[in-house]
Amino acid sequence: MAAATTLLIIAGVLLSCAIVARANAGRLPRSLVVQFSPLAGASVIEDAILAGRDRRALAAGLVDLVVRRRVRLLTESGTARAGIAVQLIAGAVLTDEERRLLDTICGEATPSRLSRRLSRDRRRTARRARRLVDARSLALTTEGLLSGWYSGRSLIRWATALLVLAVGVFLATPPPPAPFAVSLCAGALLAAALIVVPPGRSRRFAPAATERRMHLDGIRRYLLVAEAERLRALQSPTGSLQQPGDTASRFALNERLLPYAVIFGVEKAWLATLGADFDELGETSEDVIGQIGERLLQVMDADALVNGVLNIAAGADHLLDAAGAIVDGLLS
C-alpha cells in the first residue's frame, strides 16, 4: 500500500507541474495599455515566436500576406487542405522570406498553373515548417531576443512516462484491492499530466525582448476587450481615430490585426468583428463599400486557411494539444 500511495502522490505532483506549465505557456509580460497596431517593421512570424505561439506562426504569416494583398485565397470546397489554394496577386512583389513561407506551406500547382494548393504531404511540410521557424528563431537569438530553452516540459514528460511504466509493472503482479485502486488513480493522474503538459519546449526570452513582448500583450488585450472598450481606446488622445464614425478606418486597422488574432487563437471572433465593421459602413460611398466588401470576402476565407495550415503538425501532438486546450480554457 505504501508503494501505491507514493506513486499516487508523485503522480499528483507531476500533474500539478503540468498544469503550471500549461498556464505559463505563451504567457506574456503584462502591458498596462492596449495596442492597436504592430510595431513598425515587425515580422508576424517572429512576433508569433516571441509570443510563445510557434505553432500558429506560419498560419499567421500566410494570413498576413492575404491582408497585405500579396496573395489571394482560392477555396474549392470545404476546409480541407486540398481545397485551399494560394494565388500570387498580379504585380505583387514578395521578399525572399515571403517566398520561403509559400514554398514551405504550398505544394503542387493547380491545373491552371496560376496558383498553388496547400501541401498534402503532411510530414514533409511539417519538417519544412519546423526548419523555417528554427531559422527565424536563430535570427531572434542573434538579435539578443532569445536565449535558449527551459527543460521543465521535457522533465515532466520523461518523469511521467517512467512512472507510467512503474505503475504498469506494479499492476502486472495483482496487488490487493486497495493498492490496486490507488494505482489506477495514479495511472489516471499520469495520463492527465501527459495530456495537459504543453507540447514542445519552452523558450527562454532574453530581457531585451520584454518591451516587444509587452507590446504583443497590448495587442492581445485589444483583441480580447469588448467592442465598446476598443472604440474608447481608438478615440483616446493616443488613438488613431478621432472621429467616432470613421468605420472605414477602423475596418482597415482591425483587418491589419487579423494575423495577430490568428497568433492568439481568436481569428473566428475577429472575423466576426470585421463583418460587424462592414455592416456599420452605412452611408459611406459606394466605391469605399465595394473596396472594403472585396477585402472582407477575401479575408473571410482566412479561417479555412488557418485550419489547413495548423493541420500540418504531427497528429499525435494535435490530439494532446487539443485535450490540453480544455485546460487553457479553464485557466484563461
Side-chain angles (χ1 to χ4, degrees), residues 91-105:
V93 178
L94 299 181
T95 65
D96 291 341
E97 291 296 337
E98 290 169 344
R99 289 189 179 280
R100 184 179 178 188
L101 172 61
L102 291 180
D103 290 341
T104 296
I105 299 300

Side-chain angles (χ1 to χ4, degrees), residues 56 58-67 71-75 78-79 84-86 118 255 257-262 266-268 270-272 274 295-310:
R56 288 182 161 265
L58 301 194
L62 275 179
V63 171
D64 182 56
L65 293 182
V66 175
V67 168
V71 301
R72 65 168 53 91
L73 298 181
L74 306 175
T75 55
T79 59
I84 306 172
V86 176
L118 297 192
E255 182 192 30
L257 289 180
L258 181 58
Y260 290 85
V262 174
V266 295
E267 63 276 2
K268 287 183 173 62
W270 202 245
L271 286 171
L274 292 176
R295 287 156 56 184
L296 179 63
L297 288 175
Q298 184 59 205
V299 300
M300 277 301 177
D301 289 328
D303 188 30
L305 175 66
V306 171
N307 289 337
V309 175
L310 290 181

Side-chain angles (χ1 to χ4, degrees), residues 86-319:
V86 176
Q87 183 181 55
L88 186 66
I89 292 178
V93 178
L94 299 181
T95 65
D96 291 341
E97 291 296 337
E98 290 169 344
R99 289 189 179 280
R100 184 179 178 188
L101 172 61
L102 291 180
D103 290 341
T104 296
I105 299 300
C106 297
E108 72 280 5
T110 58
S112 67
R113 313 298 297 178
L114 297 177
S115 59
R116 298 170 66 181
R117 292 188 178 96
L118 297 192
S119 176
R120 302 184 189 187
D121 191 335
R122 188 168 178 168
R123 292 184 178 180
R124 182 175 297 177
T125 305
R127 287 194 296 268
R128 291 200 302 262
R130 184 72 263 167
R131 287 196 294 268
L132 191 151
V133 171
D134 287 345
R136 293 296 186 91
S137 300
L138 180 60
L140 291 172
T141 301
T142 303
E143 294 176 24
L145 301 178
L146 298 179
S147 57
W149 303 88
Y150 290 107
S151 58
R153 296 182 189 178
S154 297
L155 289 175
I156 293 172
R157 279 192 288 269
W158 277 105
T160 303
L162 290 175
L163 274 183
V164 167
L165 292 176
V167 170
V169 171
F170 185 80
L171 294 177
T173 57
F180 182 81
V182 172
S183 298
L184 285 181
C185 289
L189 292 179
L190 292 171
L194 283 175
I195 289 174
V196 170
V197 66
R201 296 179 293 175
S202 176
R203 293 189 184 279
R204 190 189 301 271
F205 299 101
T210 300
E211 182 177 352
R212 189 163 166 183
R213 281 165 48 79
M214 286 181 65
H215 189 91
L216 290 171
D217 186 64
I219 292 177
R220 182 191 66 82
R221 290 184 59 194
Y222 177 75
L223 294 170
L224 295 179
V225 297
E227 175 66 16
E229 294 182 44
R230 282 201 295 270
L231 287 176
R232 282 197 295 270
L234 291 175
Q235 294 160 18
S236 67
T238 58
S240 63
L241 302 180
Q242 300 302 316
Q243 299 299 322
D246 196 358
T247 309
S249 297
R250 189 167 76 245
F251 179 91
L253 184 149
N254 286 341
E255 182 192 30
R256 181 67 188 90
L257 289 180
L258 181 58
Y260 290 85
V262 174
I263 290 175
F264 294 111
V266 295
E267 63 276 2
K268 287 183 173 62
W270 202 245
L271 286 171
T273 296
L274 292 176
D277 288 344
F278 179 75
D279 292 339
E280 293 175 10
L281 287 175
E283 298 180 356
T284 306
S285 69
E286 292 185 2
D287 288 343
V288 173
I289 292 178
Q291 293 172 8
I292 293 180
E294 182 180 355
R295 287 156 56 184
L296 179 63
L297 288 175
Q298 184 59 205
V299 300
M300 277 301 177
D301 289 328
D303 188 30
L305 175 66
V306 171
N307 289 337
V309 175
L310 290 181
N311 282 334
I312 67 174
D317 283 350
H318 270 287
L319 288 174

